Amino acid sequence: MDRRDFIKTCGAIAVASFLDTKFFSEALASQEGFLKLYSKAILLKEDGTPLTEKDIAPHREYIFFYPFASTPCYLINLGDEVKGAQLKLNDGQTYLWKGGVGSKKSIVAYSAICSHQWSYPTKDYAFINYYPPDKPSETTKKAGVIQCCAHLTVFDPKAGGKVIEGPAEVPLASILLEEEGGKLYAVGVLGKDQFDAFFENYKTDLRKEYGSTAKAKELVDKCVVMEVGKYVKEIIRC
Amino acid sequence: MSRKSSGVSRRDLIKSAVGVSIFPTLAFTKGEAKRENAQVVIVGGGYGGVTTAKYLKKENPKLSVILIEQRHFFMSCPLSNHFLAGLMELTPLCFAYNVLEVKYGVKVINDKVIGIELDRKVVRTSQGYISYDFLVLSPGIDYDIEDKPFYAEALVYYPPAFKPGSEHIYLKKLLSEFEGGDIVITVPPPPYRCPPAPYERAALIASMIKRNKLKAHLYFIDANERPLINSEGFLSAYYDLYKDVATYVTSAQVKDVDVGKKVVKTSYGDFKFDIANIIPPMKAHSILESAGLLKKGEKWVSVNPLTFETQVENVFVIGDASMSYLPKSGYAAHSEGKVVAKLINAKLMGKEVKEELLQMVCYAMVDDREAIMTETSFKYEKDRGRFIPIHREDNQRKESTAKRYIEWAKGLWRDMFG
Ligand SMILES: Cc1cc2nc3c(=O)[nH]c(=O)nc-3n(C[C@H](O)[C@H](O)[C@H](O)COP(=O)(O)OP(=O)(O)OC[C@H]3O[C@@H](n4cnc5c(N)ncnc54)[C@H](O)[C@@H]3O)c2cc1C
Ligand code: FES
């Protein structure tokens, strides 16, 4: 059993209680290989207190790091209910995405590592971003999407991170969120995550930023959530 | 820059763009017998070859994949104009091939292919013969200069820098030592490698003249009526930014280059120069001609545009050497490499592959800090065998586009060598 399998098993037991049981049983039955449960991590505000639904303004782009200390994710309140969806990979395999969480089921989270060639928001630049309904992309004219400006892949945050257009071959991995007593938790990653490629390609950058690869790969149990514009010096839109 | 170009509109250019109908039917993989082992030989470790090699092994580690490349290190032509203009060092553009061997198990042979015998299914190198079951050829371009011998002399003194490697280093040396006077850049008619590259180079050299406050003038001599891509963006940069340091001469054919007298003779008159960058017409690499893949009079290899397979079964030509619906760009060669890797693996598994149309993204610098870009998707009219390009151009020069350009290239390199 490798470390990740071990984490998965422990995680599965730890989070089983606050997952919708129907989804969970469906998930385990059909998501083999797609759902990875990591340690349950509470989402926090910058002041260290728990993040609640009302702290997540609709259509703003928030960043947090999960499941590892260095892997960025975007948190977005899409305003309206986001229903679950079935996602298809290019080899024909499918998996289920549960939809939004929160009272309106409008809150979603995705790994911010582009599934194409792994562009991700650094402290300097974010080439991959959310385009709210009132600020469509200048290039593709699409709004309400996550778009990566490096090679122009457009992802649908309302449909589990599905590729709408562009060169990426697989959806963005989604972050499994749960709400418990008004607090939000990240509990796992669904889809084809890009973590191996991320750690392989950015070794030098991650060492510089986190001190060592091991530190960059540390699993988190709490995530500070902040607006992307606060974390990144320059948001590159296109 | 002066001299107005013709009144061809962007829409006209788009309309007249691509109408390729080479192969009447699309031969797709139709459940062939499963095979356990196969040897794939790839010629050329550029954008096309490296991608094919890596993806073949990534999808099927058991496959025997041999990449034959004459150079010791990969050097990217994309972003090489940054290097020439002093905006970037050479080192970020270079990668070691042994990464492919160490990480993915590709066998890299550092040698020159000197013959391809399609009937015997072997490739000849200086060290001997290598046999293949599948052959992927991505050797890039040669300069098409046989009928114009003056080009042969010119490129020894004033390298085109359109093939990766020492040509760039020598041109950079000429530019670094240039303290003033006249520079001439010539652009051939299409098709040639990377349609926007000469226009970007002209803009960056004009910008370098301004930045270094040189007493110099650039004569940019174009065989075409206007820039082949992003013409609005390039023309506005030439006229807005470089009017005083550069002259854009359009529809001018190069008739002769006298390197002794330092004169380029064109259909529009003679241009004296102190240094020059003579970019000759181009054609597919000569190894493809000697292999018999080019018919008499053809400059580029005809392939099935959706599979990149030639008329010889299991022999593929990708990248700049082939004639497909895609432009001659690194991005295209890279995408084609992935398609071919998928196809070969599918053939071996006895699986079918769905046809896919590729998309293009292309950036170009117009000054030290700003870039413009184009995105092209394609529609395929199956009944007429036609590919219709749909361009989305962003001709507003922006710093953010220049940053995207770098990220674009880094993404490709991550995908190839990461
Ligand atoms: C200045 C410039 C800027 C460019 N900018 C861009 C850009 O911004 N974006 C973009 O998409 N494209 C750009 N390109 C185009 C891009 O470089 C080419 O389209 C791309 O390299 C084509 O890939 P390829 O695999 O066909 O050929 P190459 O990348 O040239 O690879 C061919 C390889 O084959 C090897 N080879 C040839 N013959 C033999 C032999 N007989 N034996 C062994 N090895 C052999 C060569 O050494 C070479 O490494 C630019 C090109 C230039 C010149
Ligand atoms: S890295 Fe995001 S589209 Fe290529």
Side-chain angles (χ1 to χ4, degrees):
Chain A
M1 185 187 271
D2 74 9
R3 188 154 162 249
R4 196 172 287 172
D5 286 338
F6 179 70
I7 291 160
K8 185 170 145 178
T9 323
C10 297
I13 297 159
V15 296
S17 59
F18 30 79
L19 280 164
D20 160 355
T21 40
K22 185 165 165 285
F23 172 73
F24 190 54
S25 52
E26 256 176 19
L28 283 189
S30 66
Q31 318 276 331
E32 196 50 47
F34 293 114
L35 176 66
K36 281 184 208 133
L37 297 170
Y38 291 91
S39 1
K40 171 188 167 192
I42 186 163
L43 304 193
L44 302 173
K45 288 194 277 194
E46 284 171 82
D47 65 8
T49 59
L51 184 86
T52 60
E53 199 179 330
K54 67 170 180 21
D55 301 314
I56 313 166
H59 303 296
R60 296 250 181 92
E61 190 185 25
Y62 298 88
I63 192 169
F64 64 96
F65 290 81
Y66 183 82
F68 305 101
S70 60
T71 48
C73 308
Y74 283 157
L75 179 77
I76 309 159
N77 180 352
L78 292 167
D80 297 316
E81 179 178 349
V82 187
K83 296 223 166 76
Q86 190 181 53
L87 286 133
K88 200 170 179 178
L89 296 180
N90 46 356
D91 61 4
Q93 292 189 82
T94 59
Y95 62 93
L96 288 172
W97 175 69
K98 187 172 97 152
V101 299
S103 60
K104 284 168 95 182
K105 298 205 179 307
S106 62
I107 298 165
V108 296
Y110 293 96
S111 163
I113 303 166
C114 181
S115 64
H116 179 229
Q117 287 165 0
W118 318 297
S119 194
Y120 75 103
T122 63
K123 281 190 174 157
D124 290 326
Y125 302 115
F127 293 94
I128 178 167
N129 288 291
Y130 175 64
Y131 292 70
D134 60 339
K135 285 203 190 94
S137 145
E138 277 179 28
T139 326
T140 65
K141 312 286 178 231
K142 295 210 158 46
V145 295
I146 293 175
Q147 182 167 302
C148 178
C149 294
H151 314 93
L152 279 176
T153 299
V154 186
F155 301 96
D156 190 352
K158 294 182 284 307
K162 177 175 104 176
V163 178
I164 299 176
E165 64 173 71
E169 298 197 347
V170 295
L172 278 182
S174 64
I175 305 299
L176 212 57
L177 294 177
E178 288 303 322
E179 203 179 0
E180 193 188 38
K183 295 173 190 165
L184 283 156
Y185 298 86
V187 295
V189 181
L190 185 67
K192 266 202 155 181
D193 70 59
Q194 304 296 321
F195 301 141
D196 289 344
F198 176 78
F199 288 125
E200 183 61 27
N201 278 291
Y202 296 110
K203 263 185 209 147
T204 321
D205 302 353
L206 294 174
R207 259 204 302 268
K208 214 190 271 170
E209 173 94 30
Y210 294 89
S212 71
T213 309
K215 282 236 161 68
K217 285 186 176 175
E218 263 172 22
L219 287 163
V220 298
D221 58 7
K222 46 180 173 294
C223 312
V224 175
V225 178
M226 67 176 99
E227 288 213 46
V228 176
K230 261 191 152 179
Y231 175 76
V232 177
K233 265 193 223 132
E234 194 176 349
I235 294 180
I236 306 268
R237 294 189 176 271
C238 55
Chain B
M1 294 194 185
S2 65
R3 186 143 185 228
K4 230 180 130 314
S5 50
S6 79
V8 181
S9 74
R10 206 186 119 210
R11 194 164 296 163
D12 290 334
L13 280 178
I14 294 167
K15 255 198 290 182
S16 65
V18 189
V20 200
S21 179
I22 306 161
F23 283 68
T25 52
L26 298 169
F28 264 87
T29 325
K30 292 247 170 55
E32 291 179 10
K34 252 188 172 178
R35 292 164 70 176
E36 285 293 303
N37 284 315
Q39 179 143 296
V40 187
V41 170
I42 300 161
V43 178
Y47 273 82
V50 166
T51 310
T52 314
K54 172 176 160 179
Y55 272 82
L56 276 167
K57 283 297 270 188
K58 206 175 162 200
E59 286 181 25
N60 182 359
K62 284 195 197 136
L63 208 59
S64 156
V65 176
I66 299 172
L67 174 69
I68 313 172
E69 166 57 47
Q70 64 197 0
R71 296 170 213 272
H72 283 93
F73 295 97
F74 172 93
M75 187 207 127
S76 171
C77 278
L79 260 54
S80 64
N81 284 334
H82 285 67
F83 161 67
L84 292 173
L87 306 180
M88 188 179 262
E89 295 296 321
L90 184 61
T91 38
L93 307 182
C94 300
F95 295 84
Y97 288 112
N98 67 358
V99 172
L100 297 167
E101 196 143 8
V102 174
K103 281 195 185 163
Y104 297 96
V106 173
K107 172 101 194 92
V108 181
I109 296 180
N110 189 223
D111 202 350
K112 187 170 176 154
V113 170
I114 50 178
I116 298 168
E117 297 176 26
L118 297 170
D119 48 347
R120 287 175 59 209
K121 292 182 134 193
V122 291
V123 167
R124 186 151 50 95
T125 72
S126 65
Q127 296 164 46
Y129 288 94
I130 301 166
S131 61
Y132 63 80
D133 299 300
F134 293 89
L135 180 64
V136 183
L137 301 161
S138 192
I141 53 132
D142 257 335
Y143 299 125
D144 185 18
I145 57 179
E146 276 96 51
D147 58 342
K148 294 195 175 85
F150 62 82
Y151 275 124
E153 193 180 14
L155 66 82
V156 178
Y157 290 84
Y158 304 106
F162 262 67
K163 289 186 191 184
S166 57
E167 289 185 17
H168 287 85
I169 295 168
Y170 193 71
L171 181 58
K172 167 81 176 174
K173 179 179 155 87
L174 290 176
L175 288 167
S176 320
E177 289 173 354
F178 178 69
E179 288 178 324
D182 292 332
I183 304 184
V184 163
I185 301 180
T186 67
V187 187
Y192 59 83
R193 161 168 283 183
C194 196
Y199 302 99
E200 176 187 69
R201 190 177 287 174
L204 284 178
I205 289 178
S207 151
M208 194 185 80
I209 291 175
K210 288 198 92 147
R211 186 175 71 233
N212 297 344
K213 298 192 173 60
L214 294 177
K215 271 189 129 182
H217 198 87
L218 166 68
Y219 292 93
F220 181 41
I221 300 167
D222 190 352
N224 305 290
E225 285 180 335
R226 54 165 49 212
L228 298 171
I229 191 167
N230 278 114
S231 68
E232 224 173 272
F234 280 120
L235 289 174
S236 96
Y238 297 162
Y239 295 125
D240 296 350
L241 305 174
Y242 308 125
K243 229 184 180 122
D244 46 341
V245 294
T247 304
Y248 181 34
V249 184
T250 61
S251 305
Q253 317 302 319
V254 175
K255 303 273 188 213
D256 194 9
V257 182
D258 186 333
V259 290
K261 293 200 177 105
K262 295 192 167 187
V263 177
V264 178
K265 295 182 178 165
T266 78
S267 57
Y268 193 69
D270 293 357
F271 294 86
K272 274 191 75 62
F273 61 81
D274 293 285
I275 60 166
N277 175 214
I278 308 294
I279 306 172
M282 294 173 206
K283 61 177 177 126
H285 196 284
S286 56
I287 193 83
L288 300 169
E289 195 174 356
S290 57
L293 286 166
L294 276 170
K295 290 197 207 96
K296 213 174 160 31
E298 277 180 348
K299 306 264 184 217
W300 310 97
V301 180
S302 299
V303 292
N304 178 326
L306 288 170
T307 62
F308 309 100
E309 194 166 11
T310 63
Q311 275 161 335
V312 183
E313 202 186 356
N314 297 337
V315 176
F316 299 81
V317 176
I318 58 168
D320 291 355
S322 68
M323 192 59 156
S324 80
Y325 64 100
L326 298 159
K328 299 193 181 302
S329 74
Y331 196 67
H334 174 78
S335 311
E336 292 166 16
K338 284 192 188 179
V339 169
V340 168
K342 212 182 277 178
L343 226 113
I344 291 175
N345 274 324
K347 272 198 178 203
L348 288 167
M349 305 279 179
K351 277 193 198 156
E352 286 193 27
V353 169
K354 261 205 285 173
E355 61 185 57
E356 56 180 304
L357 282 182
L358 300 169
Q359 160 251 21
M360 285 300 107
V361 179
C362 181
Y363 295 93
M365 297 298 286
V366 286
D367 66 26
D368 291 9
R369 288 172 302 120
E370 295 169 318
I372 51 181
M373 62 92 55
T374 316
E375 193 231 353
T376 312
S377 52
F378 295 88
K379 260 187 18 202
Y380 178 49
E381 289 180 354
K382 216 169 191 160
D383 47 340
R384 298 171 74 185
R386 281 187 0 134
F387 293 84
I388 316 289
I390 304 149
H391 292 294
R392 287 196 289 223
E393 291 191 351
D394 184 354
N395 285 304
Q396 288 291 318
R397 44 180 190 268
K398 292 181 207 136
E399 282 187 37
S400 61
T401 310
K403 287 168 184 159
R404 289 170 58 198
Y405 191 177
I406 310 256
E407 183 65 8
W408 168 92
K410 283 185 174 170
L412 291 182
W413 301 333
R414 281 195 292 269
D415 204 27
M416 290 160 73
F417 295 100

